[in-house]
Amino acid sequence: MELASVMTHRLHLFDPSFSRKCTHIRFTAKFLSMRCSAAETRARSMDDEWEGSARLSIVQEKLQNIPQRMPEKPPTGIQSDEPSKDSEESVVPSVQSETPKVTGKTRGEIFLERSKEMLEVHSERSSARAIKTMERRIRKTEKGAVAKRTEPCCYGCGTILQTSAVEAPGYVPIDTFEVKKRHHQLKTILCGRCVLLSQGHMIPAVSGNGGYGNGKGFVSAEELRSQLSHLRFEKALIVKLVDIVDFNGSFLTRVRDLIGANPIILVATKVDLLPKGTSLEAVADWLTQATLARKLNVISIHLTSAKAATGISGVASVIQRQRQGRDVYVMGSANVGKSAFITALLQEMGQRDVVAVAAQRYRPVQSAMPGTTLGPIQIDAFSGGGSLYDTPGVHLHHRMAAAVSPDDLPLLAPRRRLSGKRLPDQKQTMSLVGHSIFWGGVARIDVLQAPTNIAFTLYGPSSIPALALYTSQADTYYQNEVGKSLYPPAGTDRASWPGLLNQRDVTLTIKSNLRSVMQPAGDIAISGLGWVTVGATSVDREGDLGEELEEHERSIVRLKVWVPKAVEVFMRPSIPVGTSASQWYEYMDVDDDELETATPRLVY
């Protein structure tokens, strides 16, 4: 021991960490000895367990070898004091049932049996999951067969070409069809209806609820809607168009029923028609608030004009960034401007992509007739793969276009910038209480209660006249002048015109913002026609400005709106148009982090 300590001391002199290493080795050996003792204890307990189970099996075998005799039952009515054999023997089965069943199998065999059972259960679940996946793919294929057609179609409207019915859409002379088929040029054919539409003719082709009559070869509005149902099962990028002049009537609130969870880019068209001096920043903010109120999640919001090529470059850049190899579908309500938007989009994309330049040669036909596109039009516009689709418009029965005849449809389309017709005129000082305002023959507003300085500004097609007269004379005047000075309807359809059958009571409140211009009470939007801004005139008196504002600070306006049957009337906050909108419009306050995250990106 003394020699070991001396050697240890000398080694410590050469290596100062020698003692620390020895201590580490000592603790490691102690730890290993503890593990070995624990393993021996566990093995001993397992041996005892197996020995006990073997003894139990021997006892169980002896119990099974005992012959079981049927007890002799005593005569009825005589009770025996001795315990019966039946009660004694009944103890044995109870003990036998409580004892665990010993099979004599090794642990490995038990493990293999359980593994086989789990494998069978897993295989059954996997097969059921595979069957469900196959059924889902079959349904997707059946749904997708609606949009992906193999028949030759007109590149202008998307309808299937035919050579039998001259009046029906898709007609092509048989000689032209055979020549194009021989040269493999069927994709370059324009049907006869598209030729007439491009020349300015109004030829309807949609029937049913929301259509424009009946005729040979007409397609129902339900069939056009069903052509978009396959989008729920596909991964695509949706470009949803909305008419800024008819925002409520063309918004498609239930668009998720058609497209599922696919991402949406919201594009407002025809911003070039807004009144002069309108701030696009204020309109974009108003559009964002209206979209969030409808709980529609979109990637971005764009203000565009296909005619003036405004905002198209922003949409093209977002599409290229968000597409990620997916197909792009341009959709919206009927006559919202999809074909014109696609034409402008191809021109913008053609500046960077040669494939888009080639696609401009055969682009969809543009027309003022709702329902021009009758089928999905596939356009190869991306060099990296994928297609751009022009889809049929969704025809809504609550729009004004479904209530008038096809000959009157051009009157509903604004051709130039909206100026807004104000009643009463700025030179007049009359009160409109007790008066009725006629907007052509398709809308009437009765003023039941309002302040004396109430004013109505009508924004819509300039070709439709507007006038005001006493309510007591309104019914007689309408019966005599409908189809004449009140149009639409035109004179030829006067006999079949049903009149203004739908009425709605409207109550508004005018609030002051303590400025020289009163804040409008709101807009009355008539689906497919335009909107009417209800507000008070400006207060020009300098001395009585405060008293005038207090008097009309909360003024009640009660109206009754008359429109044709099935036409919808919407109430909404006033859209900020014109130069005076900057004096009363209040921008959306985004302070909450969650609201800021949910707010889409604005491009205008």
Side-chain angles (χ1 to χ4, degrees), residues 146-149 151 153-160 187 189-191 193-194 227-228 230 327-330 338-340 342-343 346 359 362-366 371-382 386-393:
V146 178
K148 298 178 180 179
R149 297 175 295 183
E151 300 88 349
C153 301
C154 171
Y155 74 84
C157 63
T159 187
I160 299 176
K187 294 183 178 180
I189 296 181
L190 198 66
C191 69
R193 174 176 174 269
C194 290
Q227 295 182 14
L228 303 175
H230 71 283
D327 293 335
V328 180
Y329 288 82
V330 180
K338 295 182 296 298
S339 300
I342 288 178
T343 300
L346 292 176
Y362 303 105
R363 54 180 182 266
V365 171
Q366 304 179 33
T372 300
T373 305
L374 302 178
I377 303 175
Q378 181 179 0
I379 304 173
D380 297 329
F382 306 105
S387 301
L388 177 67
Y389 285 88
D390 184 10
T391 61

Side-chain angles (χ1 to χ4, degrees), residues 409-422:
L409 290 177
L411 298 175
L412 301 178
R415 296 298 181 183
R416 57 176 180 267
R417 185 185 295 271
L418 304 179
S419 57
K421 186 171 184 179
R422 178 177 168 180

Side-chain angles (χ1 to χ4, degrees), residues 52-66:
S53 61
R55 292 177 181 176
L56 183 62
S57 62
I58 294 172
V59 174
Q60 202 169 23
E61 290 178 358
K62 291 182 178 180
L63 291 175
Q64 291 178 356
N65 295 330
I66 296 176

Side-chain angles (χ1 to χ4, degrees), residues 475-488:
D475 294 337
T476 304
Y477 183 82
Y478 185 79
Q479 293 177 0
N480 297 331
E481 297 298 329
V482 63
K484 298 179 182 178
S485 60
L486 299 178
Y487 57 88

